[in-house]
Amino acid sequence: MIKKKKKKSYTEVYALGPYISMSAHKAHRVIDQICGRSYEEAVMILELIPYRGCYPIFKLVYSAAANASHNKDFKETNLVISKAKVNQGSTVKN
């Protein structure tokens, strides 16, 4: 979730990735690195970390920033990743 500070109140913009096939542990390793950082810093981290979970999370962060700039006219330099949440998904049956 990305927030932009606006006169003592926060406006939230978000993107969801409900069906990404990845373990929660792999996603948590990446999410813990980018929480609380600016958008530009988070994108740089996601491009350089060699974990498997980086690319889907990179796409989600990029999508949230695109939503913010297109729908709410925010600048990407002012965006901050305030909250990121990972849950266990559905189990694939063999």
Side-chain angles (χ1 to χ4, degrees), residues 3-16:
K3 287 186 181 181
K4 180 188 178 214
K5 190 172 183 179
K6 184 180 178 183
K7 291 186 183 178
K8 295 185 180 180
S9 67
Y10 290 101
T11 303
E12 294 183 358
V13 179
Y14 63 91
L16 300 174

Side-chain angles (χ1 to χ4, degrees), residues 47-79:
E47 288 176 346
L48 296 176
I49 292 179
Y51 295 146
R52 179 183 176 267
C54 287
Y55 186 67
I57 293 171
F58 170 77
K59 286 179 21 178
L60 278 175
V61 170
Y62 187 78
S63 174
N67 289 345
S69 64
H70 183 266
N71 297 338
K72 305 271 187 171
D73 295 325
F74 293 158
K75 293 183 180 178
E76 291 180 350
T77 56
N78 297 333
L79 299 177

Side-chain angles (χ1 to χ4, degrees), residues 14-37:
Y14 63 91
L16 300 174
Y19 297 108
I20 297 174
S21 63
M22 180 189 332
S23 72
H25 178 70
K26 289 178 186 173
H28 269 291
R29 286 193 305 182
V30 177
I31 292 294
D32 290 341
Q33 298 289 324
I34 64 169
C35 266
R37 299 190 187 250

